[in-house]
Amino acid sequence: MEAKHTPGPWTSAGYNVEAGEVTYTFHNDGAKAGELRANARLISVAPELLEQLEKSVAILGAIMDKLEVTPPEKCQKDFIEMVETIKKARGEV
């Protein structure tokens, strides 16, 4: 599925996240300055994190198919959570 969000790269500068031609600014609502900058940094790498998670899910799925194995229950749960996180990021749920 094609991404609906502004394509990366996104960058952060202080309290701002720059995504293409759009700038999102975090307003200080009592949060500490360091927390606001950390939030901006995290959000600015969201497109990259999503892309890497999608690649990881594809690789893990291919490995499981190739080996014809059923991973332990904990791994299955983690894999399903990764797929669900991708769907949330894409706006599919």
Side-chain angles (χ1 to χ4, degrees), residues 23-68:
T23 299
Y24 300 94
T25 301
F26 291 87
H27 296 282
N28 190 340
D29 59 355
K32 296 179 182 171
E35 183 180 339
L36 293 173
R37 283 191 290 276
N39 290 344
R41 282 193 307 273
L42 178 61
I43 291 168
S44 73
V45 297
E48 295 168 68
L49 292 170
L50 176 59
E51 180 180 350
Q52 293 306 316
L53 182 60
E54 290 170 332
K55 287 178 183 179
S56 297
V57 165
I59 291 168
L60 289 171
I63 290 170
M64 288 187 291
D65 288 345
K66 178 103 174 150
L67 297 177
E68 297 180 359

